[in-house]
Amino acid sequence: YDLFTHVASPQTKLEPEQRARLLETLVAATKQRGLIVKGDMAPLTELQRTDNDALKAEVMRAAGAWKVGVMRTNVKQAALDVEESSSRVQKAALEAMADYGDEECRNVLLGVAIEDKDPEIRSHAIGQLANLDVEQAAKAAVFFLEGIPNHSGAEPVVASVVSIKGGAKALAEQLSGKKIEPDVAKYALRAARAGPGDSTALQSALRKAGGL
């Protein structure tokens, strides 16, 4: 917690990028080693007012990793891009939504995955949703694949879902009766082949959906 106090203190002499890197280190320690950061989170709330995107993104991730309740609404707004945040901040907020992990957060992620105008943001939301609900992520992924005119974004979307246990099967089931562009199917197949586990059924479904 002393390190967090040093990072978050208004009196710190650290530059925003340095504060961002240290916050990133603390969040990584939480996820990898179970480090619990306790105490007054008010300084973290103040940090989110920064104009530095790198720092603000790490503040979002920290809020989710440490499940800071007082920041939840602000994280949700950033995930929904209510204030037209940078894509860097929005992606971090989507990751935080996955870390909060309840039904409301799943719905936020699903909404962004389906409705956001930026394909890259939609792809990121699908990947985060897969960590919470692989079936819903598969549905969103197929909807994404159906709507894109070329292969751009197909590979990372499929990769994010098949990396989760049951993801390949869920995607194969959701592709039943669907049609996607041949080019999209080709790049999706690359991700399916590279994923863990048996993706035979998914590969077959992709070929059929893409008319290959």
Side-chain angles (χ1 to χ4, degrees):
Y1 185 72
D2 287 343
L3 178 57
F4 170 67
T5 302
H6 180 53
V7 171
S9 171
Q11 283 76 45
T12 186
K13 295 181 180 180
L14 294 170
E15 295 295 327
E17 289 78 9
Q18 293 175 305
R19 299 169 93 180
R21 286 193 295 271
L22 288 171
L23 266 182
E24 183 182 12
T25 299
L26 284 170
V27 170
T30 296
K31 295 193 172 187
Q32 295 168 12
R33 303 200 305 273
L35 173 72
I36 299 175
V37 177
K38 296 180 178 180
D40 183 12
M41 288 291 134
L44 190 68
T45 305
E46 289 300 316
L47 266 187
Q48 72 182 327
R49 304 178 192 277
T50 179
D51 293 327
N52 184 281
D53 282 350
L55 179 54
K56 191 167 187 176
E58 295 308 325
V59 169
M60 294 290 128
R61 291 189 178 98
W66 304 332
K67 295 185 171 52
V68 181
V70 294
M71 287 188 62
R72 182 189 174 100
T73 298
N74 291 332
V75 173
K76 177 182 175 181
Q77 288 179 335
L80 294 170
D81 202 22
V82 172
E83 298 178 356
E84 299 186 353
S85 305
S86 70
S87 62
R88 184 175 188 172
V89 172
Q90 188 178 6
K91 286 179 180 179
L94 291 168
E95 293 165 26
M97 284 280 101
D99 283 336
Y100 279 116
D102 58 21
E103 184 176 357
E104 181 188 22
C105 295
R106 286 195 294 272
N107 290 336
V108 168
L109 289 169
L110 180 59
V112 174
I114 296 295
E115 299 173 2
D116 200 277
K117 296 178 181 178
D118 185 339
E120 189 176 340
I121 292 295
R122 288 178 64 194
S123 175
H124 199 71
I126 291 167
Q128 296 308 308
L129 179 61
N131 293 317
L132 301 179
D133 189 331
V134 73
E135 297 289 339
Q136 289 296 324
K139 289 180 182 179
V142 171
F143 184 73
F144 179 89
L145 295 176
E146 286 182 293
I148 54 178
N150 55 56
H151 67 80
S152 180
E155 203 166 346
V157 162
V158 172
S160 67
V161 178
V162 299
S163 68
I164 304 298
K165 183 179 180 180
K169 180 184 176 185
L171 272 176
E173 291 173 350
Q174 291 300 323
L175 280 164
S176 178
K178 303 295 196 304
K179 296 294 181 184
I180 60 178
E181 292 295 325
D183 198 35
V184 171
K186 289 176 183 177
Y187 278 80
L189 273 166
R190 287 172 51 170
R193 294 190 192 104
D198 182 10
S199 63
T200 304
L202 174 56
Q203 292 181 47
S204 177
L206 285 166
R207 289 191 188 94
K208 186 174 182 180
L212 303 178

Short mmCIF file of all heavy atoms in Angstrom, two decimals, residues 85-121:
data_model
loop_
_atom_site.label_atom_id
_atom_site.label_comp_id
_atom_site.label_asym_id
_atom_site.label_seq_id
_atom_site.Cartn_x
_atom_site.Cartn_y
_atom_site.Cartn_z
N SER A 85 -13.95 9.13 -24.50
CA SER A 85 -12.57 8.89 -24.07
C SER A 85 -11.74 8.40 -25.26
O SER A 85 -12.27 8.04 -26.31
CB SER A 85 -12.55 7.83 -22.98
OG SER A 85 -13.38 8.18 -21.90
N SER A 86 -10.43 8.35 -25.07
CA SER A 86 -9.57 7.76 -26.09
C SER A 86 -9.82 6.25 -26.11
O SER A 86 -10.33 5.67 -25.13
CB SER A 86 -8.11 8.02 -25.76
OG SER A 86 -7.72 7.27 -24.63
N SER A 87 -9.47 5.60 -27.21
CA SER A 87 -9.67 4.15 -27.30
C SER A 87 -8.84 3.43 -26.23
O SER A 87 -9.25 2.39 -25.71
CB SER A 87 -9.29 3.65 -28.69
OG SER A 87 -7.93 3.89 -28.97
N ARG A 88 -7.70 4.00 -25.88
CA ARG A 88 -6.85 3.41 -24.85
C ARG A 88 -7.56 3.36 -23.51
O ARG A 88 -7.54 2.33 -22.81
CB ARG A 88 -5.56 4.21 -24.74
CG ARG A 88 -4.54 3.65 -23.77
CD ARG A 88 -3.24 4.45 -23.84
NE ARG A 88 -2.18 3.82 -23.07
CZ ARG A 88 -0.92 4.24 -23.09
NH1 ARG A 88 -0.57 5.27 -23.83
NH2 ARG A 88 0.00 3.63 -22.36
N VAL A 89 -8.20 4.43 -23.16
CA VAL A 89 -8.93 4.49 -21.89
C VAL A 89 -10.17 3.61 -21.94
O VAL A 89 -10.47 2.89 -20.99
CB VAL A 89 -9.31 5.95 -21.55
CG1 VAL A 89 -10.24 6.01 -20.34
CG2 VAL A 89 -8.05 6.78 -21.29
N GLN A 90 -10.88 3.64 -23.07
CA GLN A 90 -12.09 2.82 -23.18
C GLN A 90 -11.75 1.33 -23.08
O GLN A 90 -12.45 0.57 -22.42
CB GLN A 90 -12.83 3.11 -24.48
CG GLN A 90 -14.20 2.42 -24.54
CD GLN A 90 -14.98 2.73 -25.80
OE1 GLN A 90 -14.46 3.38 -26.71
NE2 GLN A 90 -16.21 2.26 -25.87
N LYS A 91 -10.68 0.90 -23.74
CA LYS A 91 -10.28 -0.50 -23.66
C LYS A 91 -9.95 -0.90 -22.22
O LYS A 91 -10.33 -1.98 -21.75
CB LYS A 91 -9.08 -0.77 -24.56
CG LYS A 91 -9.41 -0.81 -26.04
CD LYS A 91 -8.15 -1.04 -26.85
CE LYS A 91 -8.44 -1.08 -28.34
NZ LYS A 91 -7.20 -1.28 -29.14
N ALA A 92 -9.24 -0.02 -21.52
CA ALA A 92 -8.90 -0.31 -20.12
C ALA A 92 -10.15 -0.41 -19.26
O ALA A 92 -10.25 -1.26 -18.37
CB ALA A 92 -7.97 0.78 -19.58
N ALA A 93 -11.13 0.46 -19.53
CA ALA A 93 -12.38 0.43 -18.78
C ALA A 93 -13.16 -0.85 -19.06
O ALA A 93 -13.80 -1.42 -18.17
CB ALA A 93 -13.23 1.64 -19.13
N LEU A 94 -13.10 -1.34 -20.30
CA LEU A 94 -13.74 -2.61 -20.63
C LEU A 94 -13.09 -3.76 -19.86
O LEU A 94 -13.78 -4.67 -19.36
CB LEU A 94 -13.65 -2.87 -22.14
CG LEU A 94 -14.50 -1.93 -23.02
CD1 LEU A 94 -14.10 -2.10 -24.49
CD2 LEU A 94 -15.99 -2.19 -22.84
N GLU A 95 -11.78 -3.72 -19.74
CA GLU A 95 -11.08 -4.73 -18.95
C GLU A 95 -11.50 -4.66 -17.48
O GLU A 95 -11.66 -5.69 -16.81
CB GLU A 95 -9.57 -4.54 -19.09
CG GLU A 95 -9.04 -4.81 -20.49
CD GLU A 95 -7.63 -4.28 -20.71
OE1 GLU A 95 -6.88 -4.15 -19.72
OE2 GLU A 95 -7.28 -3.99 -21.87
N ALA A 96 -11.68 -3.44 -16.99
CA ALA A 96 -12.11 -3.27 -15.61
C ALA A 96 -13.52 -3.81 -15.40
O ALA A 96 -13.82 -4.42 -14.37
CB ALA A 96 -12.06 -1.79 -15.22
N MET A 97 -14.39 -3.62 -16.39
CA MET A 97 -15.74 -4.18 -16.30
C MET A 97 -15.68 -5.70 -16.16
O MET A 97 -16.42 -6.30 -15.37
CB MET A 97 -16.54 -3.82 -17.56
CG MET A 97 -17.04 -2.39 -17.63
SD MET A 97 -18.56 -2.09 -16.64
CE MET A 97 -17.85 -1.30 -15.19
N ALA A 98 -14.78 -6.33 -16.91
CA ALA A 98 -14.62 -7.78 -16.80
C ALA A 98 -14.12 -8.17 -15.42
O ALA A 98 -14.51 -9.22 -14.87
CB ALA A 98 -13.66 -8.28 -17.88
N ASP A 99 -13.27 -7.34 -14.82
CA ASP A 99 -12.77 -7.64 -13.48
C ASP A 99 -13.84 -7.44 -12.41
O ASP A 99 -13.90 -8.21 -11.45
CB ASP A 99 -11.56 -6.75 -13.17
CG ASP A 99 -10.29 -7.23 -13.86
OD1 ASP A 99 -10.21 -8.42 -14.17
OD2 ASP A 99 -9.39 -6.40 -14.07
N TYR A 100 -14.68 -6.43 -12.57
CA TYR A 100 -15.81 -6.29 -11.62
C TYR A 100 -16.68 -7.54 -11.73
O TYR A 100 -17.11 -8.10 -10.73
CB TYR A 100 -16.63 -5.04 -11.94
CG TYR A 100 -16.06 -3.74 -11.41
CD1 TYR A 100 -15.65 -2.73 -12.26
CD2 TYR A 100 -15.96 -3.52 -10.03
CE1 TYR A 100 -15.15 -1.53 -11.79
CE2 TYR A 100 -15.46 -2.32 -9.53
CZ TYR A 100 -15.05 -1.33 -10.42
OH TYR A 100 -14.55 -0.14 -9.94
N GLY A 101 -16.99 -7.91 -12.96
CA GLY A 101 -17.48 -9.25 -13.25
C GLY A 101 -18.91 -9.64 -12.92
O GLY A 101 -19.23 -10.82 -13.00
N ASP A 102 -19.80 -8.72 -12.59
CA ASP A 102 -21.17 -9.12 -12.28
C ASP A 102 -22.07 -8.99 -13.50
O ASP A 102 -21.62 -8.70 -14.61
CB ASP A 102 -21.71 -8.31 -11.09
CG ASP A 102 -21.69 -6.81 -11.36
OD1 ASP A 102 -21.65 -6.41 -12.54
OD2 ASP A 102 -21.70 -6.03 -10.39
N GLU A 103 -23.36 -9.21 -13.30
CA GLU A 103 -24.30 -9.23 -14.43
C GLU A 103 -24.36 -7.89 -15.14
O GLU A 103 -24.43 -7.83 -16.37
CB GLU A 103 -25.69 -9.63 -13.94
CG GLU A 103 -26.70 -9.77 -15.09
CD GLU A 103 -28.06 -10.26 -14.62
OE1 GLU A 103 -28.21 -10.54 -13.41
OE2 GLU A 103 -28.97 -10.35 -15.46
N GLU A 104 -24.35 -6.80 -14.40
CA GLU A 104 -24.40 -5.48 -15.03
C GLU A 104 -23.18 -5.29 -15.93
O GLU A 104 -23.30 -4.77 -17.05
CB GLU A 104 -24.42 -4.37 -13.98
CG GLU A 104 -24.48 -2.98 -14.61
CD GLU A 104 -24.32 -1.86 -13.59
OE1 GLU A 104 -23.75 -2.10 -12.51
OE2 GLU A 104 -24.74 -0.73 -13.91
N CYS A 105 -22.03 -5.73 -15.46
CA CYS A 105 -20.81 -5.60 -16.26
C CYS A 105 -20.87 -6.45 -17.51
O CYS A 105 -20.42 -6.03 -18.59
CB CYS A 105 -19.59 -5.96 -15.42
SG CYS A 105 -19.31 -4.84 -14.04
N ARG A 106 -21.42 -7.64 -17.40
CA ARG A 106 -21.59 -8.49 -18.58
C ARG A 106 -22.47 -7.80 -19.60
O ARG A 106 -22.21 -7.84 -20.81
CB ARG A 106 -22.19 -9.85 -18.19
CG ARG A 106 -21.21 -10.77 -17.50
CD ARG A 106 -21.73 -12.21 -17.47
NE ARG A 106 -22.91 -12.35 -16.65
CZ ARG A 106 -22.89 -12.59 -15.35
NH1 ARG A 106 -21.73 -12.71 -14.71
NH2 ARG A 106 -24.01 -12.72 -14.67
N ASN A 107 -23.53 -7.16 -19.12
CA ASN A 107 -24.44 -6.47 -20.03
C ASN A 107 -23.77 -5.28 -20.71
O ASN A 107 -24.03 -5.00 -21.89
CB ASN A 107 -25.70 -6.02 -19.28
CG ASN A 107 -26.59 -7.18 -18.88
OD1 ASN A 107 -26.55 -8.24 -19.51
ND2 ASN A 107 -27.39 -6.99 -17.84
N VAL A 108 -22.94 -4.57 -19.96
CA VAL A 108 -22.19 -3.45 -20.54
C VAL A 108 -21.27 -3.95 -21.65
O VAL A 108 -21.24 -3.41 -22.75
CB VAL A 108 -21.37 -2.70 -19.46
CG1 VAL A 108 -20.38 -1.74 -20.11
CG2 VAL A 108 -22.30 -1.94 -18.52
N LEU A 109 -20.54 -5.02 -21.36
CA LEU A 109 -19.62 -5.57 -22.34
C LEU A 109 -20.36 -6.08 -23.57
O LEU A 109 -19.92 -5.86 -24.71
CB LEU A 109 -18.80 -6.71 -21.72
CG LEU A 109 -17.76 -6.28 -20.69
CD1 LEU A 109 -17.20 -7.49 -19.94
CD2 LEU A 109 -16.63 -5.50 -21.34
N LEU A 110 -21.48 -6.73 -23.36
CA LEU A 110 -22.28 -7.23 -24.48
C LEU A 110 -22.79 -6.07 -25.33
O LEU A 110 -22.76 -6.13 -26.57
CB LEU A 110 -23.44 -8.08 -23.97
CG LEU A 110 -24.36 -8.67 -25.05
CD1 LEU A 110 -23.58 -9.57 -25.99
CD2 LEU A 110 -25.51 -9.45 -24.39
N GLY A 111 -23.25 -5.02 -24.67
CA GLY A 111 -23.76 -3.86 -25.40
C GLY A 111 -22.69 -3.22 -26.27
O GLY A 111 -22.94 -2.89 -27.44
N VAL A 112 -21.51 -3.06 -25.71
CA VAL A 112 -20.41 -2.47 -26.49
C VAL A 112 -20.00 -3.41 -27.61
O VAL A 112 -19.73 -2.98 -28.74
CB VAL A 112 -19.20 -2.16 -25.57
CG1 VAL A 112 -18.01 -1.68 -26.40
CG2 VAL A 112 -19.57 -1.11 -24.53
N ALA A 113 -19.97 -4.70 -27.32
CA ALA A 113 -19.58 -5.69 -28.33
C ALA A 113 -20.52 -5.68 -29.53
O ALA A 113 -20.10 -5.93 -30.66
CB ALA A 113 -19.54 -7.08 -27.70
N ILE A 114 -21.76 -5.38 -29.29
CA ILE A 114 -22.77 -5.40 -30.36
C ILE A 114 -22.93 -4.04 -31.03
O ILE A 114 -23.08 -3.95 -32.25
CB ILE A 114 -24.14 -5.85 -29.80
CG1 ILE A 114 -24.07 -7.29 -29.28
CG2 ILE A 114 -25.23 -5.71 -30.85
CD1 ILE A 114 -23.81 -8.33 -30.35
N GLU A 115 -22.86 -2.97 -30.24
CA GLU A 115 -23.33 -1.67 -30.73
C GLU A 115 -22.25 -0.63 -31.02
O GLU A 115 -22.52 0.35 -31.73
CB GLU A 115 -24.32 -1.08 -29.73
CG GLU A 115 -25.55 -1.95 -29.52
CD GLU A 115 -26.44 -1.44 -28.40
OE1 GLU A 115 -26.11 -0.38 -27.81
OE2 GLU A 115 -27.45 -2.09 -28.10
N ASP A 116 -21.05 -0.77 -30.46
CA ASP A 116 -20.05 0.29 -30.64
C ASP A 116 -19.72 0.46 -32.12
O ASP A 116 -19.71 -0.50 -32.90
CB ASP A 116 -18.78 -0.03 -29.85
CG ASP A 116 -17.93 1.21 -29.61
OD1 ASP A 116 -17.16 1.58 -30.51
OD2 ASP A 116 -18.06 1.81 -28.53
N LYS A 117 -19.43 1.69 -32.50
CA LYS A 117 -19.16 1.99 -33.92
C LYS A 117 -17.74 1.61 -34.34
O LYS A 117 -17.46 1.47 -35.53
CB LYS A 117 -19.40 3.48 -34.18
CG LYS A 117 -20.85 3.91 -33.99
CD LYS A 117 -21.01 5.41 -34.21
CE LYS A 117 -22.46 5.84 -33.99
NZ LYS A 117 -22.63 7.31 -34.16
N ASP A 118 -16.85 1.45 -33.37
CA ASP A 118 -15.45 1.15 -33.66
C ASP A 118 -15.22 -0.36 -33.62
O ASP A 118 -15.34 -0.98 -32.56
CB ASP A 118 -14.55 1.85 -32.63
CG ASP A 118 -13.07 1.69 -32.93
OD1 ASP A 118 -12.70 0.76 -33.66
OD2 ASP A 118 -12.28 2.50 -32.42
N PRO A 119 -14.89 -0.99 -34.74
CA PRO A 119 -14.69 -2.45 -34.76
C PRO A 119 -13.62 -2.91 -33.78
O PRO A 119 -13.74 -3.99 -33.19
CB PRO A 119 -14.27 -2.73 -36.21
CG PRO A 119 -14.84 -1.60 -37.00
CD PRO A 119 -14.75 -0.41 -36.09
N GLU A 120 -12.58 -2.12 -33.60
CA GLU A 120 -11.50 -2.50 -32.68
C GLU A 120 -12.01 -2.53 -31.24
O GLU A 120 -11.64 -3.42 -30.46
CB GLU A 120 -10.34 -1.52 -32.81
CG GLU A 120 -9.09 -1.95 -32.06
CD GLU A 120 -7.92 -1.03 -32.29
OE1 GLU A 120 -7.92 -0.29 -33.29
OE2 GLU A 120 -6.99 -1.04 -31.46
N ILE A 121 -12.86 -1.57 -30.89
CA ILE A 121 -13.44 -1.55 -29.54
C ILE A 121 -14.40 -2.72 -29.37
O ILE A 121 -14.42 -3.39 -28.32
CB ILE A 121 -14.17 -0.22 -29.29
CG1 ILE A 121 -13.17 0.94 -29.21
CG2 ILE A 121 -15.00 -0.28 -28.00
CD1 ILE A 121 -12.21 0.88 -28.05
#
